[in-house]
Amino acid sequence: MPRFFVTKENIQGGKAILGGAELEHMRKVLRLRPGDQVTLFDDGGWEHEGVIQSCTSQAGEIELLRSYQPGRESALEITLAQALGKGEKMDLVVEKATELGVQTIVPFLSSYTVPRLDGRRVERRHGRWGKIALSAAKQSGRTRIPRILELDTFETLVGKPWPCELKLLFWEGEPVQTIQRVQEEWPRLRSVLLAIGPEGGFTAEEVEQASRQGFRAIHLGKRILRAETAALAAVSIIQFLWGDMG
Ligand code: SAH
């Protein structure tokens, strides 16, 4: 069943109105027509089954037949801070992190970040990540689209008062701390921030700086993982231990 996103304000009196890119997707890409069945999800955690009533280039009107809260969102709030990498690596991280149930993604720059993008390129990429997150949310049956925050510098990232119970910085040089050890201390967890470095890794000074701000350095085993592998492994393990992948 094709899924589309609609904001709550576009749902009224048992009907939903679709516009913009979602309408394009429905009409042009999937070529759906009046009478076709669709699933919608809104920004309040609800999913709706409905039938297209009318569909023009301006708006699609969908009659809602059934609304329910599917409960596919993890109770664990995961914020993934990912250093900007080369090429399209961030695209992959955004897509997969969305499938894995991350709620917030924070791209950041650090000392060894390779691409130094200008403002316009960052804006373009940010727009693309938003589209990727929406598309992955639709495909994976999520009812929340992850927020993608503005690009941070490492300093602002580690200095911000994140509303997270635990802040973990993944560092291959950490000698002892593992996720499992942290779990022994924190059997229950509702919110966590994970920071993953760029291809060049974090500098020792950055690790220091983060730990002064309450981050814990964590290792993910003895092999060096690519940044995107580290991000997706960390999210999976954390969702398994404290979230809804167990
Ligand atoms: N250039 C570094 C590796 C960077 S890997 C080197 O060769 O030493 C990119 C990022 O993935 C790191 O900054 C870290 O956040 C994460 N990462 C990769 N392997 C890891 C491991 N074994 N433990 C913890 N974090 C890891």
Side-chain angles (χ1 to χ4, degrees), residues 22-57:
E22 290 300 88
L23 176 63
E24 286 266 294
H25 187 201
M26 186 168 90
R27 280 184 76 229
K28 296 258 177 72
V29 183
L30 300 175
R31 298 178 169 279
L32 299 180
R33 295 290 175 259
D36 287 336
Q37 295 211 353
V38 292
T39 302
L40 304 177
F41 65 105
D42 65 32
D43 45 355
W46 287 78
E47 201 166 80
H48 314 268
E49 278 169 19
V51 177
I52 303 174
Q53 282 200 318
S54 65
C55 189
T56 68
S57 57

Short mmCIF file of all heavy atoms in Angstrom, two decimals, residues 22-57:
data_model
loop_
_atom_site.label_atom_id
_atom_site.label_comp_id
_atom_site.label_asym_id
_atom_site.label_seq_id
_atom_site.Cartn_x
_atom_site.Cartn_y
_atom_site.Cartn_z
N GLU A 22 4.42 15.41 -2.06
CA GLU A 22 3.67 14.18 -1.79
C GLU A 22 2.60 13.94 -2.87
O GLU A 22 2.36 12.81 -3.29
CB GLU A 22 3.04 14.22 -0.39
CG GLU A 22 4.06 14.13 0.73
CD GLU A 22 4.86 12.84 0.67
OE1 GLU A 22 5.90 12.85 -0.02
OE2 GLU A 22 4.47 11.84 1.27
N LEU A 23 2.00 15.03 -3.31
CA LEU A 23 1.01 14.93 -4.38
C LEU A 23 1.68 14.49 -5.68
O LEU A 23 1.19 13.62 -6.39
CB LEU A 23 0.30 16.28 -4.56
CG LEU A 23 -0.69 16.38 -5.72
CD1 LEU A 23 -1.86 15.42 -5.53
CD2 LEU A 23 -1.23 17.81 -5.86
N GLU A 24 2.82 15.09 -5.95
CA GLU A 24 3.61 14.72 -7.15
C GLU A 24 3.91 13.22 -7.14
O GLU A 24 3.76 12.53 -8.14
CB GLU A 24 4.97 15.44 -7.12
CG GLU A 24 4.89 16.89 -7.44
CD GLU A 24 5.14 17.13 -8.92
OE1 GLU A 24 6.27 16.87 -9.35
OE2 GLU A 24 4.19 17.56 -9.61
N HIS A 25 4.34 12.76 -5.97
CA HIS A 25 4.69 11.35 -5.83
C HIS A 25 3.47 10.47 -6.12
O HIS A 25 3.56 9.47 -6.83
CB HIS A 25 5.23 11.10 -4.42
CG HIS A 25 5.77 9.72 -4.22
ND1 HIS A 25 5.90 9.13 -2.99
CD2 HIS A 25 6.20 8.78 -5.11
CE1 HIS A 25 6.37 7.91 -3.14
NE2 HIS A 25 6.57 7.67 -4.40
N MET A 26 2.33 10.90 -5.60
CA MET A 26 1.10 10.12 -5.77
C MET A 26 0.63 10.12 -7.24
O MET A 26 0.33 9.07 -7.80
CB MET A 26 0.00 10.70 -4.88
CG MET A 26 -1.27 9.90 -4.86
SD MET A 26 -2.36 10.45 -3.54
CE MET A 26 -3.29 11.69 -4.41
N ARG A 27 0.62 11.31 -7.84
CA ARG A 27 0.07 11.43 -9.20
C ARG A 27 1.05 11.01 -10.28
O ARG A 27 0.73 10.25 -11.18
CB ARG A 27 -0.27 12.90 -9.49
CG ARG A 27 -1.56 13.38 -8.92
CD ARG A 27 -1.79 14.81 -9.37
NE ARG A 27 -2.23 14.89 -10.75
CZ ARG A 27 -1.71 15.69 -11.67
NH1 ARG A 27 -0.69 16.46 -11.38
NH2 ARG A 27 -2.20 15.71 -12.89
N LYS A 28 2.29 11.57 -10.17
CA LYS A 28 3.22 11.43 -11.28
C LYS A 28 4.05 10.16 -11.21
O LYS A 28 4.29 9.51 -12.21
CB LYS A 28 4.17 12.64 -11.31
CG LYS A 28 3.48 13.98 -11.58
CD LYS A 28 3.68 14.38 -13.03
CE LYS A 28 2.97 15.66 -13.39
NZ LYS A 28 3.62 16.83 -12.79
N VAL A 29 4.51 9.86 -9.99
CA VAL A 29 5.41 8.70 -9.88
C VAL A 29 4.59 7.42 -9.80
O VAL A 29 4.82 6.48 -10.56
CB VAL A 29 6.36 8.84 -8.66
CG1 VAL A 29 7.33 7.68 -8.60
CG2 VAL A 29 7.10 10.17 -8.71
N LEU A 30 3.63 7.39 -8.89
CA LEU A 30 2.86 6.15 -8.71
C LEU A 30 1.59 6.12 -9.58
O LEU A 30 0.95 5.08 -9.67
CB LEU A 30 2.51 5.97 -7.23
CG LEU A 30 3.74 5.87 -6.31
CD1 LEU A 30 3.30 5.82 -4.85
CD2 LEU A 30 4.57 4.64 -6.62
N ARG A 31 1.28 7.25 -10.21
CA ARG A 31 0.12 7.36 -11.11
C ARG A 31 -1.17 6.83 -10.48
O ARG A 31 -1.94 6.08 -11.08
CB ARG A 31 0.39 6.61 -12.43
CG ARG A 31 1.56 7.19 -13.17
CD ARG A 31 1.84 6.43 -14.43
NE ARG A 31 2.79 7.16 -15.27
CZ ARG A 31 2.45 8.17 -16.06
NH1 ARG A 31 1.20 8.57 -16.16
NH2 ARG A 31 3.37 8.78 -16.78
N LEU A 32 -1.39 7.24 -9.24
CA LEU A 32 -2.62 6.82 -8.56
C LEU A 32 -3.76 7.74 -8.98
O LEU A 32 -3.56 8.90 -9.32
CB LEU A 32 -2.42 6.84 -7.04
CG LEU A 32 -1.34 5.89 -6.53
CD1 LEU A 32 -1.21 6.00 -5.02
CD2 LEU A 32 -1.61 4.45 -6.94
N ARG A 33 -4.96 7.19 -8.94
CA ARG A 33 -6.14 7.89 -9.45
C ARG A 33 -7.29 7.77 -8.44
O ARG A 33 -7.24 6.92 -7.54
CB ARG A 33 -6.58 7.23 -10.78
CG ARG A 33 -5.59 7.37 -11.92
CD ARG A 33 -5.50 8.82 -12.40
NE ARG A 33 -4.47 9.02 -13.41
CZ ARG A 33 -3.26 9.55 -13.17
NH1 ARG A 33 -2.92 9.91 -11.95
NH2 ARG A 33 -2.39 9.73 -14.14
N PRO A 34 -8.35 8.56 -8.60
CA PRO A 34 -9.51 8.42 -7.71
C PRO A 34 -9.98 6.97 -7.64
O PRO A 34 -9.99 6.26 -8.65
CB PRO A 34 -10.57 9.33 -8.35
CG PRO A 34 -9.75 10.41 -9.01
CD PRO A 34 -8.52 9.71 -9.53
N GLY A 35 -10.29 6.56 -6.43
CA GLY A 35 -10.71 5.17 -6.22
C GLY A 35 -9.59 4.30 -5.68
O GLY A 35 -9.83 3.26 -5.07
N ASP A 36 -8.33 4.74 -5.88
CA ASP A 36 -7.19 3.95 -5.37
C ASP A 36 -7.06 4.13 -3.85
O ASP A 36 -7.32 5.19 -3.32
CB ASP A 36 -5.89 4.39 -6.04
CG ASP A 36 -5.80 3.91 -7.49
OD1 ASP A 36 -6.48 2.92 -7.83
OD2 ASP A 36 -5.08 4.54 -8.28
N GLN A 37 -6.62 3.05 -3.21
CA GLN A 37 -6.44 3.08 -1.76
C GLN A 37 -5.03 3.53 -1.40
O GLN A 37 -4.07 3.15 -2.08
CB GLN A 37 -6.66 1.69 -1.19
CG GLN A 37 -8.08 1.21 -1.38
CD GLN A 37 -8.51 0.28 -0.27
OE1 GLN A 37 -7.71 -0.10 0.57
NE2 GLN A 37 -9.77 -0.08 -0.26
N VAL A 38 -4.93 4.31 -0.35
CA VAL A 38 -3.61 4.77 0.10
C VAL A 38 -3.54 4.74 1.63
O VAL A 38 -4.57 4.69 2.30
CB VAL A 38 -3.32 6.22 -0.37
CG1 VAL A 38 -3.14 6.31 -1.87
CG2 VAL A 38 -4.39 7.19 0.09
N THR A 39 -2.32 4.78 2.13
CA THR A 39 -2.10 4.95 3.57
C THR A 39 -1.43 6.30 3.77
O THR A 39 -0.53 6.65 3.02
CB THR A 39 -1.19 3.82 4.11
OG1 THR A 39 -1.81 2.58 3.82
CG2 THR A 39 -0.98 3.94 5.60
N LEU A 40 -1.90 7.03 4.75
CA LEU A 40 -1.28 8.32 5.08
C LEU A 40 -0.74 8.25 6.50
O LEU A 40 -1.27 7.48 7.32
CB LEU A 40 -2.32 9.44 5.02
CG LEU A 40 -3.10 9.63 3.73
CD1 LEU A 40 -4.12 10.74 3.90
CD2 LEU A 40 -2.16 9.96 2.58
N PHE A 41 0.28 9.01 6.79
CA PHE A 41 0.67 9.19 8.20
C PHE A 41 0.89 10.67 8.43
O PHE A 41 1.28 11.40 7.52
CB PHE A 41 1.89 8.34 8.57
CG PHE A 41 3.18 8.70 7.89
CD1 PHE A 41 4.18 9.38 8.57
CD2 PHE A 41 3.41 8.34 6.57
CE1 PHE A 41 5.38 9.69 7.95
CE2 PHE A 41 4.60 8.66 5.94
CZ PHE A 41 5.59 9.33 6.62
N ASP A 42 0.55 11.08 9.67
CA ASP A 42 0.65 12.51 9.95
C ASP A 42 1.77 12.79 10.94
O ASP A 42 2.46 11.87 11.40
CB ASP A 42 -0.70 13.07 10.41
CG ASP A 42 -1.14 12.49 11.74
OD1 ASP A 42 -0.28 12.18 12.58
OD2 ASP A 42 -2.37 12.35 11.93
N ASP A 43 1.94 14.06 11.30
CA ASP A 43 3.02 14.42 12.21
C ASP A 43 2.61 14.29 13.67
O ASP A 43 3.29 14.82 14.55
CB ASP A 43 3.56 15.82 11.89
CG ASP A 43 2.44 16.83 11.66
OD1 ASP A 43 1.25 16.44 11.63
OD2 ASP A 43 2.75 18.02 11.49
N GLY A 44 1.53 13.58 13.93
CA GLY A 44 1.13 13.38 15.32
C GLY A 44 1.15 11.91 15.70
O GLY A 44 0.63 11.52 16.75
N GLY A 45 1.76 11.06 14.88
CA GLY A 45 1.89 9.65 15.21
C GLY A 45 0.72 8.78 14.73
O GLY A 45 0.65 7.60 15.07
N TRP A 46 -0.20 9.36 13.97
CA TRP A 46 -1.34 8.60 13.48
C TRP A 46 -1.14 8.15 12.04
O TRP A 46 -0.48 8.82 11.25
CB TRP A 46 -2.61 9.45 13.53
CG TRP A 46 -3.10 9.65 14.92
CD1 TRP A 46 -2.59 10.52 15.84
CD2 TRP A 46 -4.18 8.96 15.55
NE1 TRP A 46 -3.28 10.42 17.01
CE2 TRP A 46 -4.27 9.47 16.87
CE3 TRP A 46 -5.08 7.97 15.15
CZ2 TRP A 46 -5.23 9.02 17.78
CZ3 TRP A 46 -6.03 7.52 16.06
CH2 TRP A 46 -6.10 8.04 17.36
N GLU A 47 -1.76 7.00 11.76
CA GLU A 47 -1.76 6.50 10.39
C GLU A 47 -3.23 6.41 9.96
O GLU A 47 -4.10 6.15 10.79
CB GLU A 47 -1.10 5.12 10.37
CG GLU A 47 -0.61 4.72 9.01
CD GLU A 47 0.33 3.52 9.08
OE1 GLU A 47 -0.18 2.38 9.20
OE2 GLU A 47 1.55 3.71 9.04
N HIS A 48 -3.48 6.63 8.67
CA HIS A 48 -4.86 6.66 8.17
C HIS A 48 -4.94 5.84 6.90
O HIS A 48 -4.08 5.97 6.03
CB HIS A 48 -5.28 8.09 7.84
CG HIS A 48 -4.92 9.10 8.91
ND1 HIS A 48 -5.78 9.43 9.93
CD2 HIS A 48 -3.79 9.81 9.12
CE1 HIS A 48 -5.19 10.33 10.72
NE2 HIS A 48 -3.98 10.57 10.24
N GLU A 49 -5.98 5.04 6.79
CA GLU A 49 -6.24 4.37 5.53
C GLU A 49 -7.33 5.12 4.82
O GLU A 49 -8.31 5.54 5.45
CB GLU A 49 -6.69 2.92 5.76
CG GLU A 49 -5.51 2.01 5.99
CD GLU A 49 -5.92 0.65 6.49
OE1 GLU A 49 -7.09 0.26 6.32
OE2 GLU A 49 -5.03 -0.03 7.04
N GLY A 50 -7.17 5.31 3.52
CA GLY A 50 -8.16 6.10 2.81
C GLY A 50 -8.23 5.78 1.34
O GLY A 50 -7.49 4.93 0.82
N VAL A 51 -9.16 6.46 0.67
CA VAL A 51 -9.38 6.28 -0.77
C VAL A 51 -9.29 7.66 -1.43
O VAL A 51 -9.84 8.63 -0.91
CB VAL A 51 -10.79 5.70 -1.02
CG1 VAL A 51 -11.06 5.57 -2.52
CG2 VAL A 51 -10.94 4.35 -0.35
N ILE A 52 -8.59 7.72 -2.54
CA ILE A 52 -8.47 8.99 -3.25
C ILE A 52 -9.83 9.35 -3.83
O ILE A 52 -10.47 8.53 -4.51
CB ILE A 52 -7.43 8.89 -4.39
CG1 ILE A 52 -6.07 8.46 -3.84
CG2 ILE A 52 -7.32 10.23 -5.14
CD1 ILE A 52 -5.02 8.20 -4.90
N GLN A 53 -10.26 10.57 -3.53
CA GLN A 53 -11.56 11.03 -4.06
C GLN A 53 -11.36 11.86 -5.31
O GLN A 53 -12.07 11.71 -6.29
CB GLN A 53 -12.27 11.87 -3.01
CG GLN A 53 -12.91 11.02 -1.95
CD GLN A 53 -13.99 11.79 -1.24
OE1 GLN A 53 -13.80 12.95 -0.92
NE2 GLN A 53 -15.10 11.15 -0.99
N SER A 54 -10.40 12.78 -5.23
CA SER A 54 -10.11 13.58 -6.41
C SER A 54 -8.62 13.87 -6.41
O SER A 54 -7.96 13.82 -5.37
CB SER A 54 -10.91 14.88 -6.39
OG SER A 54 -10.48 15.65 -5.30
N CYS A 55 -8.10 14.14 -7.58
CA CYS A 55 -6.66 14.31 -7.69
C CYS A 55 -6.35 15.20 -8.89
O CYS A 55 -6.53 14.78 -10.04
CB CYS A 55 -6.06 12.91 -7.86
SG CYS A 55 -4.31 12.85 -7.75
N THR A 56 -5.94 16.44 -8.63
CA THR A 56 -5.57 17.36 -9.70
C THR A 56 -4.12 17.77 -9.48
O THR A 56 -3.51 17.36 -8.49
CB THR A 56 -6.44 18.63 -9.69
OG1 THR A 56 -6.11 19.37 -8.51
CG2 THR A 56 -7.93 18.31 -9.70
N SER A 57 -3.61 18.63 -10.35
CA SER A 57 -2.22 19.06 -10.16
C SER A 57 -2.11 19.98 -8.94
O SER A 57 -1.04 20.22 -8.42
CB SER A 57 -1.74 19.79 -11.41
OG SER A 57 -2.60 20.87 -11.67
#
